[in-house]
Amino acid sequence: MPVKPSAGETTIACVIGAAALLALAAAPAAAQGWKPDKNVEIVVGLTAGSSQDRTGRALQKIWQDGNVLGVPVAVANRVGGGGQVAWNFLAQHAGDAHYLQIASPTVITSHVTGASRFTFADFTPLALLGTQYLALAVNTASPLKTGRDFMERLKRDPYSLSIGVNSAGSALHILAGMLVKAAGGDPKKAKIIVFQGAELMTAALGGHIDCVVTVASNIQPHVESGKMRMLGVAAPRRLGSALAAAPTWKEQGYDLVMPNWAGVFGPRGLSTPQIAYWDGVLAAAVASADWKAFIDANLWEPEYLNSADYTKYLRAEEAKLRAALTDLGLAKQ
């Protein structure tokens, strides 16, 4: 009869297994002639505490705790212009694989709306990390108790409520526009206010805006503390944890699903060995127990794609997001 290992033995085995996986993933790329030889910087275009910031810091911790890269790893918040300060910075480091950037659909939508001169093809897509879903929430002092209350208010006056989002033309902006349009309003005339990163939640908690559209994980701690109420989630099914009570928009009569994926980009002009190195290291990172704990805590759907597959995915996303923004009248003509 097999002997069941103790809890301590199981933990040690998991740690050793994760370390071995990371080492094996990095080894083939290193053998091809490239690995970091100076500090690696993870660029984040939003403020500390934002979803992108938490993503960058989760990768940083995994790599630092295991000394995976063999060099120090830093997270740099280069905030401004709805993420454009960060993309401008990355564009200045062509061919240098020591710089990575956490990406969201805004890398596509900002160009479609005319807010950015860059397209995703101006950089090197390295990995799709996973998907988060967006939700609408209000301060608990709000008279709006349900998603239906919110929509009825918009039907009476589509421009009476201020809706806070991150980044003009982002997936958050698209969902806000879809909600206004579903109520019979014109998204171009809606009171949609753009904030930078964690400033969005500060405005919502302070009562400076009527409601907020953001990733569900940004709302969760405030629902748990009793400071916010989620009115609807734009997901195919209800989320877990403290947000399980929040209905989907489809349950409330509106077929709205809006994912907000997270990815990693490098500068343009990376070599095949450089891309191969990051393919290996990123694949190993998302296979680790620490990453699984991170995505579970932040209500992500795991969805890893390597550089080549992520590039194909982005081409399809570009067509889809352009169609959505055009339908809402937000695409640059």
Side-chain angles (χ1 to χ4, degrees), residues 19 46 49 87 90 206 314:
L46 298 176
W87 289 113
L90 194 69
L314 289 166

Side-chain angles (χ1 to χ4, degrees), residues 234-253:
R237 56 187 175 278
R238 290 196 184 199
L239 303 177
S241 190
L243 304 182
T248 66
W249 282 109
K250 190 168 185 177
E251 288 178 73
Q252 300 179 86

Side-chain angles (χ1 to χ4, degrees), residues 33-301:
W34 191 88
K35 63 180 180 179
D37 57 10
K38 63 179 182 180
N39 293 7
V40 167
E41 181 174 309
I42 301 173
V43 180
V44 175
L46 298 176
T47 55
S50 63
S51 178
Q52 288 187 23
D53 179 72
R54 295 196 303 272
T55 302
R57 294 183 191 280
L59 289 175
Q60 178 195 35
K61 184 177 187 302
I62 291 168
W63 291 337
Q64 286 189 159
D65 286 355
N67 191 28
V68 175
L69 309 185
V71 296
V73 186
V75 173
N77 297 86
R78 301 185 180 276
V79 180
Q84 294 312 300
V85 168
W87 289 113
N88 273 293
F89 175 82
L90 194 69
Q92 296 168 21
H93 296 277
D96 191 342
H98 295 89
Y99 294 91
L100 306 177
Q101 183 159 333
I102 303 302
S104 73
T106 56
V107 70
I108 294 172
T109 59
S110 291
H111 180 73
V112 175
T113 61
S116 173
R117 64 188 175 92
F118 298 115
T119 71
F120 79 84
D122 291 316
F123 305 97
T124 303
L126 292 175
L128 177 69
L129 299 176
T131 297
Q132 307 170 78
Y133 286 99
L134 303 183
L136 177 83
V138 296
N139 191 301
T140 48
S142 170
L144 303 172
K145 304 299 182 185
T146 67
R148 289 192 178 93
D149 289 345
F150 172 82
M151 295 302 293
E152 287 303 317
R153 173 74 176 272
L154 286 187
K155 286 175 182 177
R156 291 195 300 271
D157 184 350
Y159 318 119
S160 62
L161 295 174
S162 55
I163 308 172
V165 302
N166 283 137
S167 303
S170 63
L172 285 65
H173 196 161
I174 291 174
L175 178 58
M178 286 178 168
L179 289 165
V180 171
K181 185 174 181 179
D186 181 349
K188 296 191 296 297
K189 298 179 182 177
K191 198 184 298 183
I192 299 173
I193 304 172
V194 179
F195 294 87
Q196 295 288 336
E199 296 171 0
L200 175 62
M201 298 310 298
T202 301
L205 292 167
H208 305 301
I209 51 177
D210 294 308
C211 51
V212 60
V213 170
T214 187
V215 293
S217 60
N218 285 345
I219 301 169
Q220 181 176 358
H222 306 298
V223 170
E224 291 173 334
S225 68
K227 295 178 180 178
M228 294 197 78
R229 178 167 54 249
M230 187 179 288
L231 302 186
V233 57
R237 56 187 175 278
R238 290 196 184 199
L239 303 177
S241 190
L243 304 182
T248 66
W249 282 109
K250 190 168 185 177
E251 288 178 73
Q252 300 179 86
Y254 300 92
D255 192 11
L256 299 172
V257 175
M258 180 55 63
N260 190 64
W261 46 259
V264 178
F265 274 63
R268 66 180 173 84
L270 296 191
S271 67
T272 299
Q274 288 171 328
I275 294 171
Y277 175 86
W278 286 118
D279 270 345
V281 169
L282 287 161
V286 300
S288 70
D290 283 347
W291 181 259
K292 185 178 187 305
F294 169 76
I295 65 171
D296 286 349
N298 287 276
L299 306 172
W300 285 35
E301 291 290 333

